[in-house]
Each structure stands twice: as C-alpha cells, then as structure tokens.
Amino acid sequence: MSTETICRALPECWGHRGASAAYPENTLASFQAAIRDGAEGIESDVHVSLDGVLVMFHDPSLERTTGSKGLIRERNWYGTNGMVHVRTIKEPKQSIPTFTETLDLLMKPENQHIKFNIDVKVFNEPDQVFSVINKIITRYPEWETKLTPRIILGLWHPRFVKAAKIHVPYFKRSHIGFAPDIARKYFWDECDAFSMWFPGLATAEGEKFRHECKKAGKQLMVWTVNNPAEMMEAVRWGVDAILTDVTKTWLDMRAALNGDYDKVCARHNRSFLWTWPLYYSAVQYGLVRLSRRKIEKVAGSFDIAESMDTQATMVRVRVRV
C-alpha cells in the first residue's frame, strides 16, 4: 500500500472519556471539549446507581476522581446525600453526568454527527443495565434514526452479549479488550467492531488480528493512544478510530498528515516497539492474564458464559426443529 493511499483514510478521533487530559474525565465539560476540538466521537462508561439511575463514570467507586466515596451501585443518585451533589476533584469541578444528560448533549442539532461508544463495565448486572439503557433511549423522538445509528456498545465479558441482544438489539456491538485471542474466541461472531488495547495489536498476533478485521469488515479502534509516535503507528496500521485523552493532539497531527504525510511520518520512527518493555510479548502475556483474572473475578468465567450461550442456542434450534 502506498503512502499516498494510507493518508487518504486517516483514523477518526474519539475522545476517551471526552477530552479528559484537559477536563475532568467523563463529564459534560470533557465531552463538550472533545466535540469543540473536532472529534468524531466520544467514549464513556456507565454504571447503575442504587436507585436505578444510569451515570457516566469509569470506576466502580467514587474515590479516585471525586470528593466523595462509596460504590456507585450502593449509592443513591437522588436525595440529600445523593451522587447528584458529588463534584470532581479536578478543576474545573464538575458534576457526574447521567446517561440522559449525555444523550441530550448528543441530540442537540449541532451534535447529531457525533458517535458515542458506551463502555459497559462488568460491575453492572447485564439485564438491568441494558434494560435501563433501552428505556432511556426509546423516549427520544426519532431515536431509531437520529440516535441509535451513532451508538456502539462496548462489551468486556461474553456474559453481556446475550442480554445486549435481548434488550438493545438495535445497537452495534464491540468488544473492548486487551488480547486478540480473547476477542477472536469469545466475541468474533457477535460483534461488529473491536476496541483493542494498542500494545496488544503491535505483536505478531496483533498484526494477524488486524488483517482478519480488515478482511471481515470489522471496525477496529485502539485505546488509549496519547503519544504521537503511537498515533503514527496506528495510522500505519489503518485502524478506523483512535481513542485518546488528548483529542486536540491527534486532530492537529491528522491535519498535518493531510498536508504532508511523508514529512510528518518521518518525524515518528517505530523504535518504541522494540525499546519499550510494554511491547514485549512476555510482558503482555502477564498483563493480559492479570486483566482477565480481574474481569472474571467480577463477572465470572468467560468459558462458562460462552457455554451457557451455546446451550441456549442449541435449545432454540431444537425447539424450531
């Protein structure tokens, strides 16, 4: 593939938790900043509160980014001590947005081109979270044409696939993950896209997976890419979208690439792929095993979830016969 061809299809910019390097992550201010920068999409995370309100927040608990504490699933949104009063530690201090407030932002006429990647955390109960999402989405006028085509669900665990297909079948689905082998084994047939940890695509196995996605027409996104050298490598790979905390950095670089691809490309060599330990297969193997263990500790075994879905499919087939 020629350099000229590559520069004609540069990756989209998706704000990872918004423009989260500049503003408190997962807040309306951060989302708005990413949109002002020119991002084509935003990515955010969802949790359900004790009183059933869907909120945009990354961690299962409040401590890291706010002046409050406690697990979101054990805190009410409304009330004197509700999370509605919680504010971020990072300036400018912001409230936690609800899912509805975020959709209201996306449904403004000037924002109806913005895509939305919903990262569904494994701390949620699948049926509950997707049922709540469905109730909120379907309240909007023209939701089927003006909202849902722009939304993609991000799933970490196969346990969430069945519930997503039942409650929100109209959404595209993506797998969010660290490892191509997990993506291929548990999610390939059920997902339209793959949102992958950038270093995991830099190995020989990652290269193979990139080619498989292209051949199958699967959308490929990478996270979290904040270093210009890694951004340039993602361009070389031909990914569809870069998820980044520094939206302006990637958008400025993309504009420069459109102006003089060869000049910008020459500034960013590929030496980091051999000099940074994170790109060694042995290091990645340990990190992926640790990540999977943490996810399975919360949501259960990947294999059991897959087995249950397979058995349910076989039962439906027998009933039809």
Side-chain angles (χ1 to χ4, degrees), residues 63-176:
E63 286 84 353
R64 180 177 64 87
T65 61
T66 77
S68 190
K69 61 182 180 179
L71 293 171
I72 291 174
R73 66 172 180 266
E74 295 177 355
R75 292 282 306 269
N76 285 321
W77 177 255
Y78 296 106
T80 305
N81 296 317
M83 291 184 290
V84 67
H85 306 293
V86 171
R87 297 295 181 266
T88 60
I89 297 170
K90 184 175 178 177
E91 299 284 350
K93 293 185 183 296
Q94 302 289 310
S95 60
I96 300 170
T98 64
F99 185 64
T100 299
E101 289 173 327
T102 305
L103 293 184
D104 287 345
L105 174 66
L106 295 176
M107 284 298 283
K108 288 184 176 182
E110 65 271 24
N111 295 334
Q112 290 188 10
H113 63 291
I114 299 296
K115 300 171 186 177
F116 187 27
N117 182 194
I118 305 171
D119 183 337
V120 184
K121 293 304 184 188
V122 295
F123 303 94
N124 292 287
E125 283 299 321
D127 285 311
Q128 181 193 32
V129 68
F130 293 130
S131 177
V132 173
I133 288 174
N134 178 62
K135 288 177 182 177
I136 295 172
I137 287 283
T138 54
R139 292 173 188 162
Y140 286 85
E142 301 181 272
W143 62 275
E144 292 174 290
T145 56
K146 291 188 175 181
L147 192 53
T148 57
R150 296 186 281 144
I151 295 177
I152 185 166
L153 292 178
L155 311 177
W156 289 87
H157 194 286
R159 178 179 168 225
F160 286 70
V161 172
K162 180 181 177 182
K165 291 167 73 174
I166 292 172
H167 297 286
V168 284
Y170 42 78
F171 282 146
K172 293 179 182 177
R173 294 182 296 273
S174 71
H175 165 57
I176 306 175

Side-chain angles (χ1 to χ4, degrees), residues 29 73 164 198 257:
R73 66 172 180 266
F198 177 86
L257 283 164

